[in-house]
């Protein structure tokens, strides 16, 4: 049966056109129930005898409406929900409302054991409904859902039936009039007596848990129409809200103000107006008389509002002190220092996600277990406000890491309200805390699916290079003296190198990269999973691979003494490191040695060794030094970051030692040739695919980013010139203080933090003059050398293979600019999240290392704020914050001077780059605490009355303990 749908739409030119779409209705769409006598068995998914409950004693299938899937997806994902019919009406409506929730539902549908069946009611002759005159689209869809449920109940004949689940009271009323079994989500899950935890997971989408008598009130949010009108007129600006990691009452957006890109500060609870980290918000810029000069203040919500048990406003002295700490007299800074300030007038798009954290024990009321009560939840992400949830298992959840989702934030509620999702494990448990940090940073870590693994070579680990099969189109480099140089314990070896003298006196240098693209073909399940993961994530004690281990640590890994497929860049280079020519080829190699950095360094240092591999390493090192000198002459920067290395106990994986990473000559050797390969490959793919190449750029940082650093080093008699990367590099080299060798490294660390972040981009979406990589002083750059652990490199391999004619035909995605941009956006996000997860893992293991210790060490001040200062402890490569007062309710002995950016007391002055002595310990999370364990740093020297702690022999004790541990390790 054919029906026509006709509607009119307006074109971009303003013309009105009529559009007619054909809509086919069919009789051969089946119910999906196993054992149905009217429908063929091959389409059956639903079980013949589904669940019964107390309120619905007849065996039944569940039919949720759109709002149930949208708001209650955490409940629906619970394994108790089986045999669910997802109507086409619901699925299409959901896709338009939330792509994220839609994808979660699609995953349930694809998981056969869950038995979620999609019924195409919009194309079934008996369930399709026309929209009636005067009927809203929403009412028409609700009616379509009821018609489909009625059809199912008639079709199944009464032995089994269907139950409609909806939280829409009007829809329930109409369903009852039509004798359809219907329940709200809460009614239905309360009847599932075998799964009592589901009750806590029900999202409160209405105002059911907000007491209207409670008087805290935020300003009303504007409607979407009002916000749109204000954005069009220029009265408002739009941006993504970013809450400060140090101050929960300070946010910002990046927007155009008076025609210039600027950071707009949003300060205070009222101006933040229920905005949550990551929300897209509409902001009204405040009058210039209310603009403020930024002053850094550390305010932790858990400390300031730990005793705030409900929404009723009461005097909180600590909170008042905290908010007043952010008050800045505009006279304290120059007019140039003033930043635009604003207030949130509406939320354009919420960006809420499930949050990991812990129940605040102080909010749990004593009494018999099992009764529902409201409690507060602290998220691990300190930028997230505390969340009010209702639970029947409050006592059991204390001391556990749990996941909570936000449901809403009414204007008369001081905090958002949400619902419990699941329990992860006990606070402090290493496996639990690792899962938390992976979830918090959105790192995909589930095992690879059977579908993904099905695309691995069927021979498994027995796969070998076969000359008759794999040599076609490849060069055979198995006779070359190739070696790899990597960190100790590295099993995913992406790259290997060789160098040999040519008859004309020049050198042939080769960089050989694992040919991952041979195994991972575009568009298959393994490729899509690698694209979704984006990168391998390195934690202190484990690695979350982008590719299955069979490839990453075996078949693609360029291990020694086995034949491996590679993609090679071969240069002819003069003695002075000038490139004569370059070529690119697929190859087969056989590495002669898999070396660690220390082993390669030992070969460099041993002048008696003259075997071919060692001679190659020495030639590479000589050329690398000259290449590096050329780069630095062009203005490449040598920056630094406080990277930490842990030594782990073999059995427990507990950290037994921690130190800053030491880079050797061989680190620089490998880095130099990887950079050379990336630059030359970038030129090659850009010449062949000018519109769709995947490149990487590092934008020049705004000059204002260096203002604070320039001022601080100026007080040391030094000068930093950020005019160009060349002037910056030269001034960093000159920034030396006699007797303070670490200070130059510290200045480089601070300079790194002034930089913009390097990003992937599609060449056709950015003007060519913006391809520049600021840090490397290179006009073009990409990532080619690590395809085992970065998806970007895999894409570049495919582009390069097409550019040299190796691939006779290639995927259309290689020339799809829009698709390339989409992939770049995903990879940039995944790269940032992976970096943050790695840092969190370091933080977790740092806490474990310093547990039960109290160590005193030298530190350098790296940031001065109004109520404290940050320090870097060189011995351990860790940072900590020293508060300027012993508690939030006690006056500080320091006064902050905004002009000089110093903390001044009667006995000491704290300023940037100053050397201090601090005590390092750990504040345990424990059962009673809400936050995770954290390193606590306290001032020892200079001694400030009422703040500094006395050393008292702690240092000697800690040093002795370390010495004893070291002795035990040597004995082992």
């Amino acid at each position: 049966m054919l029906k026509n749908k006709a509607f009119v739409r307006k074109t971009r030119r303003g013309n009105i056109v009529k559009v007619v779409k054909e809509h086919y209705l069919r009789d051969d769409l089946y119910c999906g129930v196993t054992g149905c006598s009217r429908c063929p068995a091959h389409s059956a998914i639903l079980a013949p005898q589904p669940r019964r409950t107390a309120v619905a004693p007849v065996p039944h299938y569940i039919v949720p409406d759109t709002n149930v899937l949208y708001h209650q997806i955490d409940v629906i994902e619970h394994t108790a929900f089986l045999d669910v019919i997802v109507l086409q009406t619901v699925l299409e409506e959901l896709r338009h409302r939330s792509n994220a929730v839609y994808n979660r539902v699609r995953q349930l549908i694809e998981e056969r054991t869950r038995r979620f069946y999609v019924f195409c009611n919009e194309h079934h002759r008996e369930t399709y409904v026309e929209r009636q005159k005067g009927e809203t689209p929403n009412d028409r869809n609700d009616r379509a859902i009821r018609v489909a449920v009625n059809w199912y109940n008639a079709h199944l004949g009464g032995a089994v039936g269907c139950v409609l689940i909806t939280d829409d009271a009007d829809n329930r009323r109409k369903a009852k009039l039509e004798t359809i079994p219907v329940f709200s989500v809460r009614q239905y899950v309360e009847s599932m007596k075998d799964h009592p935890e589901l009750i806590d997971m029900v999202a409160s989408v209405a105002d059911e848990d907000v007491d209207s008598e409670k008087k805290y009130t935020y300003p009303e949010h504007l409607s979407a129409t009002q916000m749109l009108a204000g954005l069009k007129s220029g009265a408002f600006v739009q941006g993504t809200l970013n809450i400060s990691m140090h101050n929960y009452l300070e946010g910002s957006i990046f927007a155009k103000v008076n025609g210039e890109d600027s950071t707009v500060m949003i300060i205070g609870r009222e101006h933040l107006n229920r905005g949550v980290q990551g929300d897209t918000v509409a902001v009204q810029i405040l009058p210039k008389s209310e603009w403020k000069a930024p002053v850094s203040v550390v305010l932790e919500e858990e400390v300031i509002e730990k005793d705030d048990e409900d929404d009723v406003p009461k005097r909180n002295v600590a909170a008042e002190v905290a908010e007043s700490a952010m008050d800045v007299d505009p006279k304290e800074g120059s007019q140039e220092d003033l930043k635009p300030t604003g207030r949130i007038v509406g939320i354009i798009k919420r960006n809420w996600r499930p949050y990991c954290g812990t129940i605040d024990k102080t909010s749990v009321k004593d009494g018999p277990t099992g009764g529902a009560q409201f409690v507060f939840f602290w998220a691990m992400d300190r930028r997230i406000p505390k969340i009010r949830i209702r639970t029947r298992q409050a006592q059991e959840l204390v001391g556990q890491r749990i996941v909570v989702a936000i449901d809403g934030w009414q204007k008369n509620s001081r905090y958002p309200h949400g619902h419990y999702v699941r329990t992860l494990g006990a606070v402090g448990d290493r496996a639990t805390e690792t899962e938390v940090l992976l979830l918090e940073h959105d790192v995909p870590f589930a095992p690879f699916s059977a579908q993904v693994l099905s695309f691995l070579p069927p021979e498994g680990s027995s796969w070998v290079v076969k000359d008759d099969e794999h040599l076609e189109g490849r060069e055979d480099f198995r006779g070359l003296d190739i070696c790899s140089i990597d960190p100790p314990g590295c099993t995913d070896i992406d790259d290997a190198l060789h160098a040999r003298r040519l008859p004309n006196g020049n050198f042939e240098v080769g960089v050989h990269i694992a040919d991952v693209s041979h195994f991972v073909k575009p568009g298959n399940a393994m490729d899509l999973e690698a694209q979704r993961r984006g990168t391998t994530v390195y934690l202190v004690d484990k690695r979350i691979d982008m590719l299955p281990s069979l490839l990453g640590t075996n078949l693609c890994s360029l291990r020694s003494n086995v034949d491996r497929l590679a993609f090679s860049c071969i240069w002819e280079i003069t003695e002075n490191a000038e490139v004569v020519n370059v070529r690119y080829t697929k190859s087969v190699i056989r590495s002669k040695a898999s070396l660690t950095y220390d082993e390669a360094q030992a070969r460099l240092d041993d002048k008696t060794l003259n075997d071919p591999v060692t001679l190659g390493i020495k030639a590479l090192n000589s050329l690398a030094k000259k290449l590096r000198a050329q780069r630095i002459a062009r203005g490449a920067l040598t920056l630094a970051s406080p990277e930490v290395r842990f030594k782990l106990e073999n059995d427990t994986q507990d950290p037994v030692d921690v130190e800053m990473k030491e880079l050797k000559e061989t680190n620089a050797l490998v880095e130099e040739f990887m950079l050379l390969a990336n630059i030359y490959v970038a030129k090659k793919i850009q010449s062949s695919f000018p519109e769709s190449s995947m490149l990487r750029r590092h934008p020049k940082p705004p000059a204002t980013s260096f203002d604070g650093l320039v001022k601080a080093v100026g007080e040391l008699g030094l000068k930093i010139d950020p005019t160009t990367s060349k002037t910056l590099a030269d001034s960093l080299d000159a920034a030396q203080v006699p007797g303070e060798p670490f200070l130059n490294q510290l200045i480089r660390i601070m300079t790194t933090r002034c930089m913009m972040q390097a990003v992937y981009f599609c060449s056709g979406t950015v003007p060519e003059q913006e391809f520049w990589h600021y840090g490397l002083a290179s006009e073009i750059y990409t990532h080619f050398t690590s395809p085992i652990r970065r998806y970007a490199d895999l894409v570049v391999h495919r582009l390069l293979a097409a550019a040299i004619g190796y691939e006779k035909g290639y995927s259309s995605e290689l020339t799809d600019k829009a698709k390339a941009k989409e992939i770049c956006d995903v990879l940039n996000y995944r790269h940032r999240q992976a970096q943050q997860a790695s840092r969190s893992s370091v933080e977790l293991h740092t806490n474990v290392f310093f547990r039960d210790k109290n160590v005193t060490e030298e530190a350098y001040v790296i940031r001065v704020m109004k109520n404290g200062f940050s320090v870097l402890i060189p011995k351990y490569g860790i940072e900590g914050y020293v508060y300027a007062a012993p508690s939030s309710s006690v006056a500080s002995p320091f006064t902050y001077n905004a002009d000089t950016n110093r903390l001044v007391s009667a006995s000491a002055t704290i300023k940037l780059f100053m050397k201090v002595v601090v005590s390092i310990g750990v504040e345990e999370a424990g059962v009673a605490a809400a936050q995770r364990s954290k390193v606590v740093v306290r001032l020892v020297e200079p001694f400030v009355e009422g703040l500094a702690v006395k050393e008292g022999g702690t240092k000697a004790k800690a040093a002795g303990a370390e010495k004893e541990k070291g002795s035990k390790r040597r004995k082992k």
Side-chain angles (χ1 to χ4, degrees):
M1 180 178 176
L2 178 64
K3 280 185 171 288
N4 288 332
K5 285 183 172 181
F7 58 92
V8 295
R9 69 179 180 87
K10 194 175 185 179
T11 66
R12 289 184 177 180
R13 294 185 177 181
N15 299 324
I16 304 298
V17 296
K18 184 177 182 179
V19 178
V20 178
K21 286 188 175 181
E22 294 180 336
H23 189 83
Y24 290 90
L25 300 181
R26 300 165 54 176
D27 294 317
D28 58 346
L29 299 175
Y30 306 116
C31 68
V33 175
T34 302
C36 177
S37 58
R38 302 184 185 184
C39 300
H42 66 79
S43 68
I45 290 176
L46 301 167
Q49 284 295 312
R51 160 183 294 277
R52 307 165 186 252
T53 70
V55 294
V58 175
H60 58 271
Y61 306 105
I62 299 165
V63 183
D65 72 359
T66 309
N67 281 326
V68 167
L69 289 182
Y70 180 71
H71 291 294
Q72 310 289 356
I73 184 63
D74 292 323
V75 175
I76 301 298
E77 283 180 327
H78 193 283
T79 53
F81 276 78
L82 305 171
D83 298 305
V84 177
I85 298 170
V86 182
L87 299 177
Q88 180 189 357
T89 304
V90 171
L91 203 57
E92 289 181 355
E93 195 175 4
L94 186 64
R95 185 178 59 180
H96 290 109
R97 288 189 66 176
S98 170
N99 200 48
V101 177
Y102 172 80
N103 288 334
R104 289 168 73 177
V105 173
R106 291 298 320 183
Q107 285 182 336
L108 291 171
I109 293 166
E110 290 166 13
E111 194 176 335
R112 304 289 289 186
T113 57
R114 296 297 298 275
R115 303 193 294 276
F116 276 59
Y117 179 71
V118 178
F119 179 63
C120 297
N121 63 305
E122 295 290 352
H123 288 281
H124 195 288
R125 186 196 298 268
E126 295 182 43
T127 58
Y128 172 74
V129 299
E130 294 272 9
R131 184 176 164 190
Q132 296 172 350
K133 188 175 181 180
E135 189 176 38
T136 66
N138 185 61
D139 287 342
R140 180 263 168 204
N141 288 344
D142 285 346
R143 186 162 58 87
I145 293 168
R146 295 195 302 273
V147 167
V149 175
N150 263 328
W151 177 85
Y152 256 102
N153 284 332
H155 178 80
L156 296 173
V160 291
C162 284
V163 166
L164 174 61
I165 307 295
T166 175
D167 283 328
D168 184 330
D170 188 56
N171 198 16
R172 287 203 302 272
R173 181 184 60 81
K174 292 177 180 176
K176 287 175 182 176
L177 291 175
E178 298 172 23
T179 66
I180 296 173
V182 59
F183 305 96
S184 69
V185 176
R186 187 173 292 279
Q187 288 171 336
Y188 189 80
V189 300
E190 283 177 346
S191 71
M192 299 171 72
K193 302 299 184 184
D194 49 340
H195 292 284
E197 71 277 10
L198 283 171
I199 300 171
D200 284 355
M201 297 172 65
V202 176
S204 51
V205 293
D207 297 357
E208 61 187 53
D209 67 341
V210 178
D211 188 344
S212 61
E213 296 301 315
K214 294 176 180 176
K215 305 298 183 184
Y216 193 90
T217 304
Y218 289 96
E220 190 80 59
H221 284 156
L222 299 182
S223 68
T225 305
Q226 290 172 312
M227 285 190 289
L228 183 60
L231 291 169
K232 281 186 176 179
S233 69
F236 308 145
V237 294
Q238 174 179 329
T240 301
L241 180 63
N242 184 38
I243 303 295
S244 167
M245 289 295 290
H246 299 291
N247 182 352
Y248 74 104
L249 293 178
E250 179 185 304
S252 63
I253 65 165
F254 195 69
K256 278 196 181 298
V257 179
N258 299 329
E260 294 184 4
D261 289 334
S262 179
T263 298
V264 179
M265 298 166 58
I266 305 167
I267 299 172
R269 194 188 304 276
E270 186 171 325
H271 285 171
L272 285 169
N273 194 12
R274 294 170 283 156
V276 176
Q277 167 67 25
D279 287 348
T280 304
V281 296
V283 172
Q284 181 182 42
I285 304 298
L286 297 176
K288 201 163 186 178
S289 60
E290 297 183 42
W291 291 12
K292 295 184 178 182
V295 174
S296 297
V297 181
V298 172
L299 297 180
E300 295 184 50
E301 187 179 17
E302 293 186 25
V303 175
I304 303 300
E305 306 196 359
K306 60 186 177 182
D307 299 322
D308 198 9
E309 295 183 5
D310 52 40
D311 285 348
V312 180
K314 60 184 178 184
R315 190 151 191 251
N316 184 333
V317 176
E320 291 173 10
V321 171
E323 300 223 24
S324 66
M326 296 187 298
D327 291 339
V328 182
D329 186 344
K331 295 176 185 176
E332 288 186 15
S334 65
Q335 288 298 309
E336 291 78 16
D337 292 334
L338 296 180
K339 297 288 185 187
T341 56
R343 66 184 186 93
I344 293 175
V345 295
I347 308 296
I348 296 170
K349 183 185 177 185
R350 289 293 191 187
N351 194 30
W352 295 337
R353 61 175 175 83
Y355 301 103
C356 301
T358 316
I359 294 294
D360 182 355
K361 186 182 180 181
T362 61
S363 69
V364 177
K365 297 178 178 63
D366 294 331
T369 58
Q373 60 172 290
F374 288 113
V375 296
F376 280 122
F377 163 88
W378 291 113
M380 299 294 285
D381 186 342
R382 58 177 67 102
R383 298 169 298 179
I384 304 302
K386 65 180 179 180
I387 302 167
R388 195 163 169 259
I389 68 169
R390 178 176 177 150
T391 176
R392 286 169 168 76
Q393 46 185 335
Q395 306 282 357
E396 293 82 1
L397 295 181
V398 171
Q400 299 289 310
R401 292 286 182 222
I402 66 171
V403 179
V404 160
I406 298 178
D407 298 328
W409 196 345
Q410 278 67 45
K411 70 174 185 176
N412 60 335
S413 176
R414 190 178 182 89
Y415 305 107
H417 61 275
H419 66 272
Y420 163 87
V421 176
R422 63 189 174 103
T423 300
L424 300 173
V427 170
D429 175 73
R430 185 86 55 79
T432 299
E433 299 293 2
T434 299
E435 183 179 358
V436 165
L437 74 86
L438 292 172
L439 289 169
E440 278 295 284
H441 296 106
D442 194 19
V443 174
F445 63 97
F448 290 100
S449 69
Q451 189 179 13
V452 168
L453 298 177
S454 70
F455 287 93
L456 290 170
E459 304 93 331
S461 58
S462 302
W463 181 93
V464 293
V465 173
K466 298 174 182 175
D467 289 4
D468 58 342
E469 182 180 339
H470 298 121
L471 267 180
E472 184 182 354
R474 295 178 182 270
E475 293 193 45
D476 191 343
F477 292 148
R478 287 175 287 189
L480 296 178
D481 295 305
I482 295 170
C483 69
S484 61
I485 307 174
D486 292 283
C490 179
T491 55
D492 52 342
I493 303 173
D494 289 285
D495 55 87
L497 306 100
H498 88 274
R500 63 176 176 173
R501 182 79 73 167
L502 296 174
N504 63 3
N506 292 340
F507 288 95
E508 176 190 271
V509 174
V511 167
H512 311 276
I513 307 301
D515 188 8
V516 177
S517 60
H518 174 83
F519 298 94
V520 184
K521 300 302 182 184
N524 69 21
M526 190 187 304
D527 178 58
L528 295 176
E529 179 64 17
Q531 185 184 123
R532 185 176 78 90
R533 295 186 178 216
T535 180
T536 292
V537 180
Y538 292 90
L539 307 181
V540 170
D541 59 341
K542 67 190 297 185
R543 186 182 66 224
I544 311 299
D545 290 320
M546 182 185 81
L547 293 171
S549 60
L550 177 65
L551 295 185
T553 62
N554 190 345
L555 305 187
C556 291
S557 185
L558 304 182
R559 300 186 296 188
S560 57
N561 301 317
V562 289
D563 293 351
R564 287 291 179 254
L565 303 181
F567 210 149
S568 302
C569 297
I570 310 294
W571 296 270
E572 182 181 343
I573 301 180
T574 68
E575 188 93 43
N576 294 322
E578 300 293 337
V579 174
V580 177
N581 58 58
V582 62
R583 61 191 178 89
Y584 314 91
T585 179
K586 295 265 188 164
S587 61
V588 178
I589 69 168
R590 186 181 181 87
S591 173
K592 299 297 188 291
S594 299
L595 305 174
T596 65
Y597 288 120
D598 287 337
E599 290 168 345
Q601 188 66 47
R603 289 183 181 236
L604 278 180
D605 297 338
D606 191 338
K607 296 179 180 178
T608 64
L609 287 177
N610 57 5
D611 61 277
V613 170
T614 301
L615 292 176
I617 293 172
K618 290 179 177 179
L620 289 168
N621 190 51
S622 173
L623 292 170
K625 289 178 178 178
K626 295 168 185 175
L627 288 169
R628 181 180 177 81
Q630 292 170 11
R631 276 198 311 112
I632 290 174
R634 291 195 300 268
L637 298 171
T638 304
L639 300 176
S641 61
E643 293 189 65
V644 175
R645 177 166 57 196
F646 289 90
K647 292 181 181 176
L648 302 178
E649 185 76 43
N650 288 335
D651 297 330
T652 64
Q653 291 291 289
D654 282 341
V656 293
D657 201 2
V658 58
E659 61 189 9
M660 284 189 74
K661 287 184 181 177
E662 180 188 353
L663 298 181
K664 299 185 180 294
E665 213 174 350
T666 45
N667 290 79
L669 180 162
V670 174
E671 178 189 29
E672 213 55 53
F673 285 103
M674 297 306 111
L675 293 176
L676 190 69
N678 288 335
I679 290 169
Y680 271 85
V681 168
K683 292 176 181 177
K684 180 65 178 177
I685 63 173
Q686 165 65 5
S687 66
S688 300
F689 297 94
E691 288 294 305
S692 59
S693 287
M694 178 171 287
L695 303 177
R696 189 163 175 83
R697 66 191 181 102
H698 184 205
K700 180 181 178 181
T704 53
S705 298
F706 294 92
D707 289 349
L709 182 61
V710 169
K711 188 175 180 180
V713 299
E715 295 183 12
L716 300 174
L718 305 174
K719 183 181 178 182
I720 296 294
D721 182 1
T723 307
T724 66
S725 62
K726 174 63 175 167
T727 60
L728 180 59
D730 291 344
S731 62
L732 285 172
D733 289 340
Q736 304 284 346
V737 174
E740 291 287 355
F742 182 73
L743 199 59
N744 182 262
Q745 185 179 354
L746 185 59
I747 292 172
R748 291 181 190 274
I749 290 171
M750 301 293 288
T751 302
T752 304
R753 298 177 183 187
C754 298
M755 296 290 164
M756 304 282 280
Q757 193 160 23
V759 291
Y760 297 109
F761 71 101
C762 171
S763 56
T765 62
V766 171
E768 199 163 330
Q769 60 269 26
E770 293 182 22
F771 287 11
W772 180 257
H773 195 293
Y774 181 82
L776 298 174
S778 177
E779 54 192 37
I780 194 168
Y781 191 68
T782 193
H783 273 164
F784 163 75
T785 54
S786 296
I788 291 176
R789 62 184 178 90
R790 291 189 304 232
Y791 187 78
D793 303 54
L794 179 55
V795 173
V796 169
H797 275 231
R798 291 169 181 164
L799 288 163
L800 183 60
I804 66 174
Y806 178 82
E807 298 286 357
K808 304 298 183 286
Y810 51 83
S811 167
S812 61
E813 284 192 2
L814 291 184
T815 56
D816 187 336
K817 185 163 69 174
K819 180 64 176 176
K821 182 183 182 305
E822 182 184 320
I823 292 174
C824 287
D825 291 342
V826 170
L827 298 184
N828 287 327
Y829 171 74
R830 289 297 181 201
H831 182 71
R832 285 193 302 272
Q833 297 306 103
Q835 284 183 320
Q836 291 167 10
S838 296
R839 290 178 193 140
S840 293
S841 181
V842 168
E843 181 185 341
L844 172 62
H845 283 76
T846 301
N847 293 344
V848 175
F849 175 75
F850 283 106
R851 189 180 294 162
D852 303 324
K853 293 186 181 75
N854 196 346
V855 182
T856 303
E857 285 296 340
E858 286 186 343
Y860 287 85
V861 177
I862 58 172
R863 188 178 182 186
V864 179
M865 306 184 203
K866 194 171 182 180
N867 63 341
F869 54 96
S870 294
V871 295
L872 174 67
I873 301 145
K875 179 176 179 180
Y876 300 113
I878 63 171
E879 295 180 34
Y881 190 78
V882 180
Y883 282 96
S887 72
S888 58
S889 57
V890 176
S892 170
F894 285 103
T895 302
Y896 179 72
N897 187 317
D899 293 330
T900 60
N901 190 32
R902 295 181 180 182
L903 287 168
V904 182
S905 75
S907 58
T909 297
I910 303 295
K911 59 182 181 179
L912 211 57
F913 301 125
M914 176 181 176
K915 188 187 290 185
V916 296
V917 178
V918 296
S919 168
I920 313 160
V922 169
E923 187 177 283
E924 291 287 356
V927 171
Q931 71 273 33
R932 66 166 55 178
S933 302
K934 61 182 179 182
V935 171
V936 176
V937 181
R938 295 184 174 89
L939 185 64
V940 175
E941 296 176 10
F943 184 79
V944 177
E945 190 67 41
L947 180 66
V949 296
K950 293 182 180 179
E951 184 177 346
T954 306
K955 187 174 183 178
K957 181 180 177 182
E962 288 303 298
K963 186 175 180 181
E964 185 181 346
K965 282 187 179 179
S967 174
K968 287 179 180 177
R969 284 195 297 274
R970 284 191 292 274
K971 287 177 183 177
K972 288 179 182 177

